[in-house]
Amino acid sequence: MNKIFIIIKREYLTRVRKKTFIISTILFPLLYLGLIFGMGYIADKSKQNLKVAIIDNSGYFSDENLGFQNSIDDNSTLTLIKDSTEKIINDYKAEGFDGYIVIPAINWKEGYDSLYFKSEKSYGSSSTAAMEAKLNRIWSGIKNDSLKIGSEQQVILKKRLDVSPKNIQDENANAKTAEGIGYVAGFLIYFILLIYGSQVMMGVMEEKTNRIAEVIVSSVKPFQMMLGKILGIGLVALTQFLLWIGFVLIVYNVGKLSGGDMASGLVGSIQNMFASVNVPLVLFCFGFYFLAGFFFYSSLYGAIGSAVNEDMREAQSLSFPVTLLVIISIALMTAAINDPTGPIAFWGSIIPFSSPIVMMARIPYGVPGTVPWWQLGLSMSLLILGFIFTVWFAGKIYRTGILMYGKKPSWKEMIKWAFRKN
Amino acid sequence: MTLLEVKNLKKYFATQKAVDDISLKVEQGQIFGLLGPNGAGKTTLIRMITGIFYPDEGQIIFDGKKFDPIKDVEHIGYMPEERGLYKKMKIGEQTMYLAQLKGLKRSDALAKIKDWFIKFEMEGWWNKKVEDLSKGMSQKLQFVTTVLHNPKLIILDEPFSGLDPVNSNLIKDEIFNLAKKGATIIFSTHRMEQVEEICNHIALINKGQVILDGTVAKVKQDFKENLFSINAEQIPSMNGAAPFDIVGTKDQSHIVRIREGNNSNDVLQFLLQNGAQIHSFNEILPSLNDIFIKLVEGTPAARQFQKV
């Protein structure tokens, strides 16, 4: 036991003292913020202003009502073409248009459901949706005028019934906030599993290529060696997290004191989050799923590291199935957030390989409201059993692999190593 | 006193009988040469003795008791052939780490590391990294980490590879020193001249079995071909009465083989009676190299896969 502690200490200290640890701890939050703001900026900059020629054969559209719609939404400019329509159809580009829409001679009572925005390029539905909305607003005006519906009646006609989810067990539940926290928690676990999992793999490979493995296993059991590495690197990940949480708390408190515009917005949203979500429970579950998921996956990555030689490509091809499991979990998480009580969410959060990510995305919706206690308990116990199994399995492979040089084994051979006696 | 005894040890792998019924005894204070061609099963045998592998069958008795891999590894120092250190770790910390893994307390380890570093003139190395060392320097460091915890049994697999003659001698002297202080050393190598120089007992392993086991002197006696080298003037003309045949001659030195039923005294008597002027008279014993080649010859250079 004491020897595992010595190994943990070494694995932890050598990593925490590295410059890359300090840099990545500082850089990751900055990159994360940069990504969020950068994406917003790029999305803002890359808005297209489509110039569309409207060739109207119905006579309902006028320069006036198109101009009014253009002033509401400047993402597209609709221009009515009255003369030389043939010329536009043949060569709309020469006139400075991105495409054209031909409106046939239709009656206001019938409408028409297959208009085309014709262009040489392909446009997504989001570009045509805006145009469609513009034309439909004009079309509604025309219908209202024709039916002689006054502005008061128009308001009445626009009234509709709205249905949104409300959890009666948990009055404070806020689906939007829960979704946000779910996404962030799920993705953080995803990053930890991949980044720190591969750190375990690289660490084991380093011991093998440095040829220190045999020196160490003559002092400690290979299993202790592997466990020490996993626990040590797990502690590094935990340290990085605590630093980030500390960083957020500092920003929160400084923001509260300074009371600036952006800061107060941030403080407000954090307070809002505290009000609608059971923060201690979410934090506890995050800690649990983060560590248990890490044990589950990093032991598999460790086993792979022990089985391959110095060649990175061998490691990549062997670790692909494991990485795939993590990626599938993220796909399941997206489905679970859309429907946090559905069957995908349920099974995804119970089965150990995906439960760290999927369950973490469900928990912010509320326990026991969305996730009953028995599901949380079952998920946690299965994950504990799961990682005990993977650590045992990896230990068996590790013991053989770490002293084996030469050909890269296949997964089939590695499973054989695990189940043969001694 | 016997420090280590292995009895009927077996370890089979999927395609190899790596160790196939080996029994050996290593006495305390001995420098024991474990010899054998590549793939003979030496490394597997050593890995069982160091607790890395469990034997399939057989027993290991260490220091009078059944070998307990968890506890007894603290009394064993093993320098494997495939050896290395953490490249990026500082030398002082690394040595401390390995010493602590062998069960030494921090303060004890520190004192011992200092002694060894002074002995090997490595005082300035503490804050250097292994990647800054030359191969020979890291070899010296590796030796220190192997013997630091005063093991009762030291197992060295090719300890001199990569060392220059000066550093080789330094390590060799230390090996003698440690043996004199009571440590037992198992020394595995292919370099027969080193075995002859260092070991007092050898065992030769081939295809997973012991094919030769004894003291160096006895093994040489067993394999001698009754050859003597005589440096003499006026060797009498040979006739049927001479107790030897001349095998080769160069100037005044002759190599002779004693005939069955005679001994070296008969040869000397014959020479003296016939008035030869003798300058020297030596028995020619076979070198371990010759014995090794003779015994192992005919074994394919690489061990073949076999059905277990």
Side-chain angles (χ1 to χ4, degrees):
Chain A
M1 211 53 220
N2 185 26
K3 285 182 181 172
I4 287 196
F5 182 71
I6 297 169
I7 296 173
I8 293 174
K9 196 173 128 198
R10 191 201 87 85
E11 298 291 342
Y12 180 78
L13 286 180
T14 50
R15 281 183 174 74
V16 169
R17 279 188 300 198
K18 262 193 204 154
K19 279 195 201 83
T20 47
F21 174 79
I22 298 162
I23 293 170
S24 71
T25 306
I26 297 168
L27 230 50
F28 190 83
L30 293 180
L31 271 178
Y32 194 76
L33 289 178
L35 197 72
I36 290 171
F37 287 118
M39 290 233 287
Y41 180 76
I42 289 169
D44 203 43
K45 277 279 150 187
S46 62
K47 266 188 193 162
Q48 287 172 317
N49 189 342
L50 289 175
K51 291 193 167 52
V52 185
I54 303 289
I55 299 166
D56 179 29
N57 296 317
S58 68
Y60 289 119
F61 295 87
S62 67
D63 283 331
E64 196 194 353
N65 53 26
L66 284 173
F68 177 66
Q69 291 301 331
N70 286 339
S71 68
I72 297 175
D73 176 4
D74 62 358
N75 281 333
S76 57
T77 311
L78 308 185
T79 312
L80 189 64
I81 303 295
K82 289 174 192 135
D83 311 314
S84 59
T85 50
E86 282 300 310
K87 208 176 121 203
I88 295 290
I89 291 173
N90 289 333
D91 195 5
Y92 59 88
K93 275 196 214 156
E95 304 291 319
F97 292 112
D98 294 304
Y100 61 90
I101 297 174
V102 177
I103 298 170
I106 44 174
N107 190 294
W108 65 270
K109 283 181 189 164
E110 287 157 9
Y112 196 74
D113 62 357
S114 48
L115 294 176
Y116 293 104
F117 172 53
K118 295 187 179 168
S119 167
E120 276 175 16
K121 282 195 269 180
S122 298
Y123 289 97
S125 58
S126 65
S127 355
T128 52
M131 275 179 243
E132 194 180 58
K134 275 185 177 181
L135 293 177
N136 270 318
R137 283 196 292 266
I138 297 173
W139 194 244
S140 300
I142 291 162
K143 282 188 289 185
N144 288 335
D145 288 350
S146 305
L147 290 169
K148 303 205 166 45
I149 296 169
S151 56
E152 225 173 276
Q153 284 132 315
Q154 283 179 34
V155 174
I156 296 169
L157 274 177
K158 272 186 189 152
K159 293 268 186 243
R160 34 177 286 125
L161 301 175
D162 266 342
V163 178
S164 28
K166 181 139 194 89
N167 192 324
I168 47 169
Q169 268 182 314
D170 189 354
E171 289 290 330
N172 288 326
N174 176 339
K176 264 267 173 311
T177 315
E179 191 182 311
I181 297 174
Y183 261 115
V184 171
F187 268 102
L188 279 177
I189 290 191
Y190 168 77
F191 283 127
I192 294 165
L193 294 185
L194 287 185
I195 293 173
Y196 285 95
S198 69
Q199 277 220 26
V200 171
M201 185 169 81
M202 303 289 281
V204 175
M205 282 171 73
E206 184 205 359
E207 271 161 6
K208 206 176 159 180
T209 48
N210 279 353
R211 302 286 198 262
I212 197 170
E214 193 165 353
V215 176
I216 306 259
V217 292
S218 71
S219 303
V220 299
K221 304 255 106 204
F223 187 72
Q224 292 175 310
M225 190 177 163
M226 186 187 82
L227 207 60
K229 184 169 286 289
I230 290 175
L231 291 175
I233 293 178
L235 276 181
V236 175
L238 200 63
T239 308
Q240 197 158 49
F241 256 95
L242 291 178
L243 287 174
W244 285 340
I245 289 174
F247 175 77
V248 169
L249 283 181
I250 290 170
V251 168
Y252 173 71
N253 283 315
V254 167
K256 210 156 74 172
L257 287 177
S258 70
D261 220 21
M262 215 180 94
S264 64
L266 187 75
V267 169
S269 64
I270 290 178
Q271 276 168 342
N272 188 15
M273 185 185 96
F274 272 73
S276 68
V277 173
N278 185 350
V279 174
L281 179 78
V282 169
L283 275 184
F284 168 77
C285 289
F286 184 81
F288 173 83
Y289 281 102
F290 147 59
L291 283 177
F294 174 75
F295 290 148
F296 185 90
Y297 278 102
S298 63
S299 54
L300 290 178
Y301 279 114
I304 293 164
S306 76
V308 299
N309 302 304
E310 44 258 70
D311 193 350
M312 234 1 250
R313 276 170 305 174
E314 288 182 359
Q316 271 166 358
S317 70
L318 264 188
S319 61
F320 178 69
V322 179
T323 309
L324 199 64
L325 287 182
V326 184
I327 293 169
I328 290 174
S329 309
I330 275 288
L332 291 178
M333 178 193 88
T334 318
I337 282 184
N338 287 331
D339 184 7
T341 48
I344 292 182
F346 171 73
W347 289 109
S349 60
I350 295 299
I351 297 168
F353 84 81
S354 59
S355 65
I357 291 176
V358 178
M359 188 53 113
M360 236 7 256
R362 287 180 70 198
I363 286 172
Y365 284 92
V367 179
T370 306
V371 184
W373 287 113
W374 68 266
Q375 283 187 16
L376 188 62
L378 182 64
S379 162
M380 284 184 164
S381 350
L382 281 180
L383 185 57
I384 291 172
L385 285 180
F387 84 64
I388 289 173
F389 172 75
T390 58
V391 168
W392 168 85
F393 173 73
K396 293 274 186 179
I397 293 173
Y398 189 91
R399 201 187 50 195
T400 310
I402 197 82
L403 296 173
M404 191 89 97
Y405 294 100
K407 196 177 139 271
K408 175 196 81 161
S410 64
W411 270 104
K412 205 176 133 199
E413 284 170 275
M414 283 163 67
I415 289 167
K416 249 193 225 159
W417 293 352
F419 289 103
R420 72 154 189 245
K421 56 183 170 62
N422 281 321
Chain B
M1 194 193 101
T2 306
L3 181 79
L4 176 78
E5 185 177 3
V6 301
K7 286 184 193 161
N8 307 101
L9 220 52
K10 283 184 190 171
K11 180 83 187 171
Y12 292 177
F13 293 127
T15 55
Q16 288 265 296
K17 294 178 176 177
V19 168
D20 190 11
D21 200 5
I22 283 185
S23 300
L24 284 173
K25 265 186 187 180
V26 182
E27 302 297 323
Q28 201 228 319
Q30 231 170 25
I31 303 181
F32 190 98
L34 191 62
L35 318 177
N38 293 323
K42 288 174 303 197
T43 305
T44 307
L45 176 63
I46 291 175
R47 283 180 179 172
M48 285 190 278
I49 297 169
T50 48
I52 295 172
F53 286 166
Y54 289 110
D56 292 344
E57 267 175 53
Q59 278 187 313
I60 303 174
I61 314 284
F62 182 79
D63 211 4
K65 289 182 295 269
K66 191 172 180 304
F67 177 60
D68 171 8
I70 306 231
K71 242 176 56 225
D72 288 337
V73 288
E74 294 182 359
H75 302 295
I76 296 178
Y78 173 37
M79 180 154 128
E81 190 180 3
E82 294 281 7
R83 55 182 163 248
L85 296 161
Y86 290 109
K87 287 200 172 67
K88 301 264 177 208
M89 206 173 169
K90 284 181 182 163
I91 287 165
E93 285 173 19
Q94 177 140 230
T95 319
M96 177 61 83
Y97 175 61
L98 292 171
Q100 284 181 318
L101 284 186
K102 279 291 181 193
L104 281 189
K105 281 205 199 72
R106 204 181 164 80
S107 51
D108 294 350
L110 195 64
K112 288 195 168 107
I113 294 170
K114 277 192 176 150
D115 285 351
W116 277 101
F117 275 25
I118 289 167
K119 193 183 273 176
F120 278 4
E121 296 167 359
M122 293 162 30
E123 298 104 307
W125 292 16
W126 191 274
N127 280 320
K128 292 262 183 341
K129 288 181 181 169
V130 174
E131 58 187 356
D132 302 329
L133 300 182
S134 70
K135 190 171 179 227
M137 286 157 95
S138 59
Q139 198 85 309
K140 262 162 83 173
L141 179 61
Q142 197 104 42
F143 181 79
V144 171
T145 61
T146 307
V147 300
L148 195 71
H149 55 293
N150 285 344
K152 289 181 190 169
L153 178 64
I154 300 167
I155 301 173
L156 305 170
D157 200 346
E158 296 290 357
F160 301 115
S161 67
L163 282 181
D164 62 44
V166 177
N167 282 314
S168 281
N169 276 334
L170 193 73
I171 303 269
K172 212 181 294 169
D173 289 345
E174 268 325 306
I175 293 176
F176 286 130
N177 236 332
L178 289 164
K180 211 180 289 169
K181 284 185 197 154
T184 309
I185 290 150
I186 294 179
F187 180 56
S188 169
T189 183
H190 299 115
R191 308 274 302 274
M192 292 303 145
E193 75 280 4
Q194 290 171 352
V195 177
E196 223 149 319
E197 205 181 334
I198 297 169
C199 299
N200 36 39
H201 194 109
I202 60 164
L204 180 58
I205 293 176
N206 195 18
K207 294 181 181 172
Q209 287 172 327
V210 180
I211 54 171
L212 183 66
D213 181 13
T215 62
V216 174
K218 182 173 172 293
V219 166
K220 286 189 161 198
Q221 286 296 328
D222 286 350
F223 281 83
K224 73 179 176 190
E225 296 178 70
N226 291 328
L227 290 177
F228 285 79
S229 126
I230 303 166
N231 193 328
E233 288 164 36
Q234 298 151 17
I235 288 257
S237 59
M238 298 296 298
N239 54 39
F244 58 88
D245 299 309
I246 293 180
V247 186
T249 301
K250 194 186 171 196
D251 297 333
Q252 289 188 352
S253 43
H254 311 269
I255 293 173
V256 303
R257 175 177 282 119
I258 301 178
R259 286 187 187 155
E260 202 116 342
N262 298 295
N263 61 28
S264 50
N265 283 4
D266 300 335
V267 177
L268 282 174
Q269 244 163 17
F270 176 82
L271 289 174
L272 290 172
Q273 276 166 7
N274 289 285
Q277 176 70 38
I278 301 171
H279 296 299
S280 69
F281 182 79
N282 287 316
E283 183 169 24
I284 299 179
L285 286 172
S287 71
L288 285 179
N289 210 25
D290 297 336
I291 298 171
F292 183 94
I293 290 169
K294 191 174 168 189
L295 284 173
V296 172
E297 208 160 43
T299 312
R303 208 173 161 193
Q304 303 302 304
F305 293 111
Q306 59 189 146
K307 261 259 179 279
V308 175

